[in-house]
Amino acid sequence: MTYLLKTKRQRGRDTRLFFIVCGLVILIFLAYKPLSRVLVFIGGPIWNASQALRATKETLWSTLSSKKDLLLAHQTLEQNVDQFTEIVAEVSMLREENAGLKDMLGRTPTKKRLLSAVLGNPAQTPYDTLLIDVGSTYGVTSGAKVSVRESVIGTVTEVTPKWSRVRLLSSPNEEHVVIIGKTKVTALATGRGSGNFDARLPRELDVSINDTVTFPELNKQVLAVVEAIEVTPNDSFQRILFKSPINIAEIRFVEVDMNIDR
């Protein structure tokens, strides 16, 4: 019994001694401020150095990634430039070849056009005709084509010394042989008035919306653009609807073709 009581007392003293020592250490640390400053002084730079190293690593990785992306973009740009150069060279070659063939055939265009103001449009004149302010005094002759930029819109049908009458190609029941699209489908276009046309073609022929409609001459000029395609289930033909890219009601100036070769 005496041994057991002694053991219990010894354990109690040890526990109290442990807590007393811990308390003294904490009080000394809190009371002795220079010591805390030393710990902060030593630990601060280590923490800052760790953060700086991490930031440097992230910056280096980002820089390497950016350079890699820049190199890939540069390579892609070089490839595009090479392709563009090849296309330009091919187009230039085809233009020279085309001009040479026309010259050999005696069909070199003079591109002489006479600018004219519109005196009357279809809203003020008989249906689908224009009045323009140039006539025989300027060398205009019947049959001359009339254009707005690169789109042909009509033909001179009446000439006086001071003015001329132009019949629009879209006049009702006017018919024109045309070529449609990149596949160069030949069709007979019929005027429907106000710059509108239509044509009937076999269903198996390939025609698409926005295909360009031109004349079959060597010096191709635009007549219209395909706007719609109508197909009936029981019909072996398709109806192609196309319209002049020029708004007839807003025309203020036109160009009369003065070339000898029309």
Side-chain angles (χ1 to χ4, degrees), residues 236-247:
S236 60
F237 286 83
Q238 55 183 334
R239 185 186 181 203
I240 314 300
L241 304 174
F242 41 100
K243 184 178 181 65
S244 171
I246 307 300
N247 188 334

Side-chain angles (χ1 to χ4, degrees), residues 225-242:
V225 176
V226 176
E227 285 200 330
I229 300 173
E230 296 180 355
V231 180
T232 303
N234 297 327
D235 195 347
S236 60
F237 286 83
Q238 55 183 334
R239 185 186 181 203
I240 314 300
L241 304 174
F242 41 100

Side-chain angles (χ1 to χ4, degrees), residues 59-109:
T59 302
L60 180 60
W61 179 255
S62 177
T63 301
L64 291 175
S65 299
S66 299
K67 287 185 177 180
K68 183 179 179 181
D69 294 339
L70 184 61
L71 181 60
L72 291 174
H74 179 69
Q75 292 175 347
T76 302
L77 182 61
E78 285 185 339
Q79 293 175 356
N80 291 339
V81 169
D82 291 340
Q83 293 177 356
F84 180 73
T85 303
E86 292 177 1
I87 293 173
V88 170
E90 184 178 356
V91 170
S92 178
M93 180 185 67
L94 291 173
R95 284 181 176 176
E96 291 179 0
E97 181 180 351
N98 188 35
L101 289 172
K102 290 179 180 179
D103 187 55
M104 290 174 60
L105 295 171
R107 298 292 297 276
T108 305

